[in-house]
Amino acid sequence: MISGIYNLIDGSLTQQLRFETVANNMANINTSGFKKNIISFNQTLEMNSISKADFTQGPVRHTGNELDVALDSKGFFKIQTGNGIRYTRNGAFTLDEKGTLVTLNGDSVLGQNGPITIDGSKVTIGGDGQVQVDDESVDRLMVVDFENPQLLQKEGGARFFYSGEENEISTVEDVGVQQGYLESSNVNSTEEMVQMIETYRAFESVQKAIQSMDKVTDKVVNDYGLVP
Amino acid sequence: MLRGLWSAASGMAAQKLTIDVIANNLANVNTAGFKKSRTDFQDLMYQTISESGSTTETGGQIPVGIQVGMGTMPVGVHKIFEQGDFEQTKNELDLAIEGKGFFKVISNEEELYSRAGNFKLDADRNVVTANGDKLQPEMTIPENTISITIDGYGTVTAFDPEGTGTSLGVIELYSFPNPAGLFSQGHNLYRATDGSGEAVYGTPGSDGMGTLVQGFIEVSNVDVVKEMVSMIMAQRAYEINSKAIKTADNMMSIVNNISR
């Protein structure tokens, strides 16, 4: 058979993957702390494309809730889940029944001295991540950064898992924490729409190319072979 | 099938939920003691197509893998117990809590909690909520009372026509380790759950409970402008996800038409 057709199938599968990535970005346009994925390919339209999380800062929006914190610096909050340490930029925190600071999935948010317990009426979280309850300092939010952020794997729930070495993780010193704010998703609807249209048309062209290949094959098989 | 189709569908479902919550917030913009809710979303799990750090056939290392997400899901609709504004009513049985406490009432023999301080008297001169549920501890106003004062610390004093005051007791307040975990019962009432933790008893003015203000009610903490902005955002997000579904549909139709 004509080998070109396989390249084209690869191409359409790649476009499909790209579309799926765009669709996931769009679905998470209002997910706090979400980081969009970008798919890029090498020229030959092969399947060895890469999908990178784009860690640019999302817009920070005011919520007024004292347990909402947004990071407007680099870094990630460190959280303790049932499966081990994970990282997130979604600062929509709450308390559990014991007064421990947790994410909305119930995973405890770690400070410099482990989980943070809030027992009191007034919580202030300073710009440096210092947590104060009734004007008494309790702990400082642990904000960490990575030597190679591309080794962060998405796990869902706005959580990331670091697949690199432990010594590549460092504590961020000049953190910027804003209390009463949340970092919105960094998905830009215009960009995604353009991406989607582009993907769709590319997909369409590939399918047209497959059809012409098929026509060529048709000619070869049915017309050339004819004895006049 | 196209994964993107389901991702987009999850996005539409999520935005629909947001609109539901916003509509309820807006409907309660004038409800005394009402606390607004907010939907929070998370990305769903990811399918890993190629893992970063794994070895390629030529012996190199894949620097960045491919992960495709499966859309979004709501992770919680949570009440925001931000203080609402105070509205002066001059009604002597209207109480606003300036702080984190809750009143306790008995409704249908169940202990429930409320922030709505628009109390009334029933036929037996008991202090009750607008639904007729008795405030705890129960308080009966003597018959010949012409005025009632309630101070910031919850002490209720009834005055008779001669101007003699009788103390009727102290209004109690309760707080929760995690108020966002309370179960909303409707009628401005909340029920303690495992998530909220046990109610902690206190008197007004004590540790974190807040003080009482007589003659005021706490109005809803819904901010109309903010809700409108959220509504626009949710609607546009809904729209963009519907476009993704349409595109997925067209892509599948192209595939179906490949062979004549």
Side-chain angles (χ1 to χ4, degrees):
Chain A
M1 276 304 273
I2 298 176
S3 65
I5 212 157
Y6 294 113
N7 289 339
L8 289 171
I9 290 169
D10 261 0
S12 69
L13 285 176
T14 311
Q15 293 307 330
Q16 189 175 323
L17 195 66
R18 194 168 158 207
F19 169 71
E20 283 160 353
T21 304
V22 170
N24 184 53
N25 288 347
M26 283 178 170
N28 286 293
I29 198 163
N30 279 343
T31 304
S32 307
F34 178 78
K35 297 292 164 201
K36 66 181 171 192
N37 268 38
I38 301 172
I39 287 232
S40 43
F41 319 99
N42 60 14
Q43 286 173 325
T44 50
L45 277 182
E46 281 169 34
M47 269 305 268
N48 52 357
S49 47
I50 54 175
S51 160
K52 274 205 290 204
D54 177 348
F55 290 106
T56 48
Q57 172 88 35
V60 169
R61 70 170 200 274
H62 180 250
T63 63
N65 194 1
E66 62 180 14
L67 292 178
D68 284 343
V69 284
L71 272 178
D72 64 0
S73 63
K74 59 179 185 177
F76 293 80
F77 297 114
K78 195 171 170 183
I79 56 175
Q80 174 76 53
T81 71
N83 300 328
I85 300 285
R86 297 289 185 270
Y87 306 93
T88 187
R89 277 187 70 96
N90 180 7
F93 299 141
T94 178
L95 298 175
D96 68 3
E97 79 284 359
K98 295 186 208 80
T100 314
L101 190 67
V102 292
T103 66
L104 293 170
N105 290 312
D107 303 324
S108 30
V109 181
L110 298 182
Q112 311 286 334
N113 312 313
I116 304 169
T117 307
I118 289 172
D119 180 18
S121 58
K122 201 167 127 265
V123 186
T124 17
I125 301 173
D128 56 349
Q130 195 76 39
V131 182
Q132 288 188 324
V133 178
D134 295 332
D135 298 326
E136 226 171 89
S137 183
V138 179
D139 205 339
R140 209 176 128 217
L141 287 171
M142 186 86 171
V143 179
V144 296
D145 200 19
F146 307 92
E147 218 165 88
N148 185 1
Q150 290 310 331
L151 289 179
L152 283 168
Q153 306 218 348
K154 286 192 176 185
E155 212 186 51
R159 285 187 307 275
F160 293 91
F161 164 70
Y162 191 62
S163 58
E165 301 293 322
E166 192 70 25
N167 59 18
E168 292 169 359
I169 307 171
S170 57
T171 315
V172 182
E173 286 312 324
D174 47 344
V175 290
V177 174
Q178 290 190 38
Q179 187 181 19
Y181 288 83
L182 278 182
E183 184 182 352
S184 310
S185 157
N186 69 349
V187 176
N188 175 327
S189 51
T190 321
E191 232 167 68
E192 297 301 322
M193 275 309 272
V194 173
Q195 282 272 341
M196 191 168 77
I197 295 167
E198 220 178 80
T199 308
Y200 174 67
R201 292 302 173 196
F203 186 78
E204 206 177 12
S205 322
V206 173
Q207 303 302 341
K208 288 273 182 259
I210 292 178
Q211 278 179 351
S212 359
M213 279 279 188
D214 184 34
K215 267 190 198 144
V216 171
T217 321
D218 177 53
K219 274 255 178 306
V220 172
V221 174
N222 295 320
D223 297 351
Y224 280 178
L226 275 185
V227 183
Chain B
M1 273 311 224
L2 270 180
R3 282 173 283 235
L5 185 62
W6 297 107
S7 302
S10 76
M12 284 182 81
Q15 300 313 325
K16 187 189 146 283
L17 182 72
T18 309
I19 294 285
D20 290 346
V21 170
I22 293 173
N24 183 52
N25 286 346
L26 285 173
N28 285 294
V29 71
N30 281 336
T31 308
F34 179 79
K35 299 293 171 198
K36 65 185 171 193
S37 299
R38 182 182 83 199
T39 41
D40 284 293
F41 298 108
Q42 288 188 340
D43 42 351
L44 275 166
M45 55 288 211
Y46 282 75
Q47 252 183 20
T48 305
I49 293 172
S50 77
E51 200 144 341
S52 63
S54 54
T55 323
T56 61
E57 58 267 45
T58 49
Q61 223 187 24
I62 297 177
V64 186
I66 304 177
Q67 285 191 296
V68 179
M70 299 287 130
T72 186
M73 66 165 183
V75 65
V77 175
H78 91 249
K79 283 262 174 210
I80 311 246
F81 283 91
E82 200 187 3
Q83 183 88 48
D85 295 338
F86 293 145
E87 184 190 327
Q88 188 166 20
T89 59
K90 291 191 173 156
N91 185 346
E92 56 189 11
L93 281 176
D94 279 346
L95 293 173
I97 306 172
E98 197 180 355
K100 296 208 158 166
F102 290 80
F103 297 111
K104 180 154 108 180
V105 301
I106 299 273
S107 175
N108 265 337
E109 295 172 7
E110 199 180 2
E111 288 183 357
L112 298 173
Y113 301 88
S114 174
R115 294 270 311 178
N118 46 345
F119 294 108
K120 318 261 184 289
L121 289 185
D122 68 4
D124 304 322
R125 312 188 68 77
N126 292 315
V127 179
V128 294
T129 65
N131 291 313
D133 303 327
K134 283 184 189 149
L135 175 70
Q136 299 300 310
E138 281 181 29
M139 212 163 268
T140 315
I141 307 293
E143 220 163 281
N144 57 349
T145 303
I146 54 159
S147 76
I148 302 163
T149 61
I150 300 165
D151 70 8
Y153 302 102
T155 314
V156 185
T157 317
F159 289 91
D160 63 12
E162 280 85 54
T164 334
T166 325
S167 174
L168 299 178
V170 176
I171 292 175
E172 292 170 359
L173 292 180
Y174 294 81
S175 70
F176 295 90
N178 174 25
L182 288 169
F183 178 86
S184 303
Q185 190 94 355
H187 307 292
N188 287 336
L189 297 172
Y190 301 101
R191 196 176 69 215
T193 64
D194 289 346
S196 68
E198 298 239 337
V200 184
Y201 158 84
T203 51
S206 67
D207 199 22
M209 290 295 171
T211 50
L212 295 181
V213 197
Q214 189 184 16
F216 283 84
I217 51 170
E218 185 185 1
V219 295
S220 157
N221 68 351
V222 177
D223 179 339
V224 179
V225 179
K226 258 191 203 158
E227 297 298 321
M228 289 302 280
V229 172
S230 306
M231 192 157 78
I232 293 169
M233 277 171 55
Q235 195 202 340
R236 291 301 177 195
Y238 190 79
E239 210 175 349
I240 197 169
N241 278 294
S242 76
K243 294 266 192 264
I245 288 186
K246 185 100 188 90
T247 306
D249 179 29
N250 288 346
M251 282 169 80
M252 290 190 289
S253 137
I254 291 173
V255 174
N256 287 343
N257 290 319
I258 255 190
S259 71
R260 296 138 293 141

